[in-house]
Structures are given as C-alpha cells and as structure tokens.
Amino acid sequence: MKNLKTNIYFKVTTITIIGLLLLIPTFMIENLISEREWTQDEAIREVSAKWGEEQTISGPFISIPYHRYVKQFSPKDSIEKIVQIKEHLHILPTKLNISGNINPEKRHRGIYEIVVYNSKLDISGTFNQFDLKALDIQTKDILFDQAEFVIGVNDLRGIEEQVNLNWNKEKVSFNPGVPTNDIAGSGINASLAIDPNVDKIYDFDLSLDLKGSQKLYFTPVGKITDIDLSSEWPNPSFNGAFLPDHREVNDKGFNANWNILHLNRNYPQIWAGSRHSIDPSSFGIDLLLPVDNYQKTYRSIRYAILFIGFTFLVFFFIEVLNKIFIHPIQYILVGVSLIVFYTLLLSISEHLKFNLAFIVSAIATLSLIAGYVRAILKSGKLTMLITGILTVLYSFIFVIIQLQDYALLIGSIGLFIILGLIMYFSRKIDWYNINLEGEK
C-alpha cells in the first residue's frame, strides 16, 4: 500500500482518472444550461402567444383574381379539355412610405423578462396604372371588380383598432384574411373598385396600431420604399436583408431610416400566382433584451477541462517539489468545488448581470478552495500560490468571454504561455527518480 502511495505512475493515473470522471458532471451542467435556456424561450413564447407574436408586415399589395385556361387530358373521354383555373395577380405599389413609433414594454414570467411592444404606423403610397402586357393575360379574364388591397400580418391578434383604408379619398374598411396564400399566410384585406379603362394613379394611406413581441419587420414591396421608425428602446438590433441607411442610437432611444429600391430585391412589381416570395427581403428591428448569460455560461464551462487539469497539475507539482502527499479524495473534493462554480454562475446570473455573477461565483469558489487547501497543506505560502494561480485562471477566462471576437487568439496565446510555464518549472525534475514520500 505504501508503494502505491508513493508510486509516481499510480499517482498520475489516479489524477487522470479523477479528472476524466469530473467531466461527467460538467456535461450534466451543460445540459442544465440548455434546459434553463429552453425554459426562458418557453416563457417568451408563452407571453408572446397571449400578447402578440413577432410581427412582419408583408405589403401592402393588390391581389386581383383572373381566369387561366389550361389543357387537361380526360382518361374517361380520351380527349383533351380546356379547364378554367382561378389564380391571382399581385401588384406592388410604386411608392411606399411607412413611418411610426415603437413603444416597448417589459413583461415578466417567473424570473424571466420579455419585451413586448405597441407600434403606431402610418402607411401611405401610390399605385401607378397597372401594366399587364408583360403577363400575357387577356384583360377580359381579369376580375377587376374582385380586386383586394392586402396587408400581410403575422399575428392578427396584435391589431389594436379597426383599420380603415383611404383609397383615392374613398374610405374602405378592412376585413380579416387574405384572398390567397401566394404572398402572405395571414393578414387583412379591403375590397377595391378599379376601373381598367381609366388611366390614373391610385393613392392610399392608412394607420395601423399593432402589438407584437421582440421583433418588427417589413418587406420593401414599393418600387421605392421609405421607412422611418423611432422608439425609446436604447439597444435595438437592426437585422434582416437590409440595414438602415441612417440611424441614431443613444440612451434615449433610436431613430432609423431605410430607403430601398426595387433594384435591391429579387422580385418584380407585378406577377401571377406564387412565382415569387417577398419573405427573404424582410428586414427590421429586434427589441431583444441584452440577456446572454446562458451563452456566456456555456462558453465558460467549455474551459472546465482547463481548470481541472491545470489545478490538478499544480497540486501534483506541489507534491513532487515539496514532498507533500495529497490524497485522491482531496483531489476529488477540490475538483468538485471547481465544478460547483458553474452551477453558482448559472443560477446567480439569472438574477444578476453576468459579469457580477462571475465575480461573486469566482470569489466564493476561491474562498472555499483556499480554506480547504490551507487546512490540508498547512502552508500559507502554498495556499497563496494555488489561490493566485486560480485567480489568474478565472481572470483569463473572464477576459476571453468578454472578447468574443478575439477569444480564439487570446485563448491560444494564454494556453501557449501556460504550457511554457509548465515546461519551465518542470525542466529540472528527474522524472525517472521521483519518489513521493508524503506525510499527513
């Protein structure tokens, strides 16, 4: 038994096995992080489902049904028949202007915060006389008396008040639903009176009070689309196919303006059926809370093997250089305390800002390990050495987490320096003649 106690190979093997076994609770904590993140997403979905989902305004556009004739073979009669099919023309505005204000609110579900908003949007623009020559459709087959002005809206529950359309100074009320799913799956429509024999420009305007959560997106359906939005939200994220041409963001909120031409997106101003999709061109604003504690905690735990391995290596060198025996159980307890750091970080970061949670968790873990090391080694100097090394490690990981874009560079340099220090302090050790003779 004494030979095993002082056998260097047995010691290295034991430490390696302990380190690998400690990776099991590390993987369990990774799963816990994913579970807590899923719980947060579920809370967001629950609130959004009751208030209003993420909103994308698709349009406005005009849909006009028409008759298309196709040949179909009839096996029964063994002849080809001409069959009439009803499809829709979709006409986009020549000019589209959208301006409005977004009023965000914070809602709570348990410990989680969710951003919802009310928006007041003024939508206006023009349709020029429709050019149907390129579509090879006979005017007599187009049902102009069934034309509809359509606005696609993701979640109709978000509409606050009755929406009325001013169409060439004529007031028309909207109805729920869309005439076809060619462009939008849900939305509102207003019946129009269009005279194909009159060459004129159609002006329109309407006001839309829309509720939603987290995101508000638009599609640039105008030949010229101009969108101007403002809000008191201080940290917006501009996403989608287009970024603002001009934006102002400060502590009091933001103002953003987009000006988009039809040349900037990949669909025409008029087409038939579902030949084109406008969804890939959507863009807008994310009002997401800057809550990234789960991502940062997950990134932190990826370095658990570094913490465990380097801490055990320091303990091993202390044994070798100071002839002090440290029992495998003591390695296990120190390793477990390093793992507990991540559970502290995860739970505290759900209530405090991540940086503060990291500092609190690190101080608690360092205090626990320092007290334990002081008790088993009975050396203030060695305790200070181990505590100092762990402090440097925690600081190193903290810096890497903050510098996400340079994490690989800083991490590689840090690991190189650590390897250099290990090689430097172990350069004079005669590994063939090491004999651990600890005393306890």
Side-chain angles (χ1 to χ4, degrees):
M1 185 69 181
K2 184 176 180 181
N3 289 338
L4 285 178
K5 178 179 177 180
T6 59
N7 188 288
I8 184 68
Y9 302 109
F10 176 75
K11 172 66 71 171
V12 171
T13 302
T14 303
I15 293 173
T16 302
I17 292 173
I18 292 172
L20 293 175
L21 289 175
L22 286 172
L23 291 180
I24 296 175
T26 299
F27 294 138
M28 294 173 65
I29 295 175
E30 286 187 14
N31 291 332
L32 180 60
I33 295 171
S34 299
E35 180 184 329
R36 298 299 292 176
E37 190 169 20
W38 181 87
T39 303
Q40 182 189 45
D41 293 340
E42 187 64 25
I44 292 173
R45 284 192 292 269
E46 185 179 345
V47 173
S48 300
K50 295 177 180 179
W51 177 271
E53 301 283 355
E54 299 172 357
Q55 299 284 17
T56 297
I57 298 185
S58 304
F61 55 90
I62 294 175
S63 288
I64 308 176
Y66 73 99
H67 292 137
R68 186 165 69 91
Y69 300 92
V70 296
K71 294 180 180 179
Q72 281 190 356
F73 180 77
S74 175
K76 183 178 179 180
D77 302 325
S78 298
I79 60 172
E80 278 190 341
K81 292 183 178 181
I82 304 298
V83 179
Q84 185 184 83
I85 298 176
K86 188 176 182 180
E87 292 188 348
H88 285 79
L89 292 173
H90 307 294
I91 304 168
L92 306 187
T94 307
K95 185 161 181 61
L96 174 63
N97 297 307
I98 300 177
S99 62
N101 184 262
I102 304 172
N103 300 307
E105 299 178 21
K106 291 183 182 179
R107 297 297 173 97
H108 293 82
R109 177 67 65 189
I111 63 173
Y112 303 108
E113 279 189 334
I114 299 97
V115 180
V116 298
Y117 62 82
N118 284 286
S119 63
K120 294 187 178 297
L121 305 172
D122 294 320
I123 303 173
S124 62
T126 58
F127 285 87
N128 284 359
Q129 179 64 24
F130 310 141
D131 183 10
L132 306 176
K133 296 177 183 177
L135 296 176
D136 193 26
I137 298 174
Q138 299 294 324
T139 304
K140 64 181 179 62
D141 293 327
I142 302 175
L143 308 178
F144 286 98
D145 59 327
Q146 298 180 29
E148 291 181 284
F149 185 97
V150 183
I151 300 178
V153 179
N154 280 15
D155 190 350
L156 296 181
R157 293 170 301 173
I159 297 177
E160 289 272 70
E161 299 179 2
Q162 173 63 40
V163 185
N164 295 306
L165 171 66
N166 294 314
W167 179 258
N168 269 8
K169 299 182 180 179
E170 180 183 349
K171 190 173 183 180
V172 185
S173 294
F174 276 92
N175 297 307
V178 293
T180 172
N181 293 330
D182 290 346
I183 295 181
S186 67
I188 55 178
N189 71 87
S191 298
L192 299 179
I194 296 177
D195 187 348
N197 300 314
V198 178
D199 187 7
K200 63 190 295 187
I201 295 176
Y202 297 95
D203 296 318
F204 69 89
D205 67 84
L206 61 103
S207 294
L208 181 63
D209 292 355
L210 187 65
K211 294 192 305 183
S213 55
Q214 300 188 88
K215 298 182 181 181
L216 178 60
Y217 278 38
F218 304 88
T219 50
V221 294
K223 199 167 187 179
I224 299 175
T225 301
D226 190 85
I227 297 179
D228 192 85
L229 297 176
S230 60
S231 175
E232 295 179 355
W233 190 250
N235 48 4
S237 177
F238 302 103
N239 288 316
F242 300 95
L243 294 177
D245 295 292
H246 305 285
R247 63 179 179 180
E248 250 181 76
V249 182
N250 52 47
D251 294 338
K252 295 181 180 179
F254 73 86
N255 184 276
N257 175 265
W258 292 260
N259 189 271
I260 301 165
L261 304 177
H262 70 297
L263 299 174
N264 303 137
R265 33 88 168 166
N266 196 29
Y267 47 86
Q269 290 301 113
I270 181 171
W271 70 87
S274 56
R275 298 176 189 173
H276 300 281
S277 173
I278 65 175
D279 291 339
S281 66
S282 63
F283 63 93
I285 299 165
D286 294 2
L287 301 177
L288 300 177
L289 284 166
V291 178
D292 54 357
N293 57 302
Y294 295 117
Q295 290 86 352
K296 286 186 175 180
T297 303
Y298 187 80
R299 287 170 56 202
S300 299
I301 204 169
R302 301 307 293 269
Y303 295 95
I305 185 62
L306 175 64
F307 270 88
I308 296 170
F310 194 65
T311 302
F312 283 5
L313 191 62
V314 171
F315 273 73
F316 177 71
F317 275 129
I318 288 174
E319 286 194 78
V320 171
L321 298 175
N322 295 276
K323 303 297 182 181
I324 298 174
F325 177 73
I326 300 176
H327 196 277
I329 294 296
Q330 294 167 333
Y331 274 95
I332 292 174
L333 291 175
V334 171
V336 170
S337 66
L338 292 173
I339 299 299
V340 169
F341 162 78
Y342 296 105
T343 60
L344 283 175
L345 178 60
L346 174 60
S347 57
I348 295 175
S349 66
E350 290 184 330
H351 302 275
L352 300 177
K353 291 184 178 180
F354 179 84
N355 290 352
L356 181 58
F358 190 99
I359 293 170
V360 171
S361 303
I363 291 175
T365 304
L366 287 172
S367 300
L368 179 64
I369 294 176
Y372 186 66
V373 169
R374 182 73 174 84
I376 64 176
L377 298 184
K378 298 185 173 25
S379 170
K381 183 178 179 182
L382 293 178
T383 300
M384 291 295 293
L385 173 64
I386 293 174
T387 305
I389 290 173
L390 286 177
T391 301
V392 171
L393 266 180
Y394 279 116
S395 302
F396 173 61
I397 301 303
F398 184 78
V399 170
I400 289 178
I401 292 171
Q402 304 306 314
L403 303 175
Q404 182 173 354
D405 294 337
Y406 299 96
L408 180 60
L409 175 62
I410 301 300
S412 301
I413 294 173
L415 290 175
F416 182 82
I417 293 173
I418 289 172
L419 178 61
L421 291 173
I422 293 171
M423 295 173 69
Y424 176 79
F425 286 108
S426 63
R427 70 193 188 283
K428 294 183 179 180
I429 297 177
D430 186 357
W431 296 102
Y432 288 103
N433 294 302
I434 294 179
N435 198 18
L436 296 177
E437 293 182 0
E439 53 185 17
K440 185 80 177 146

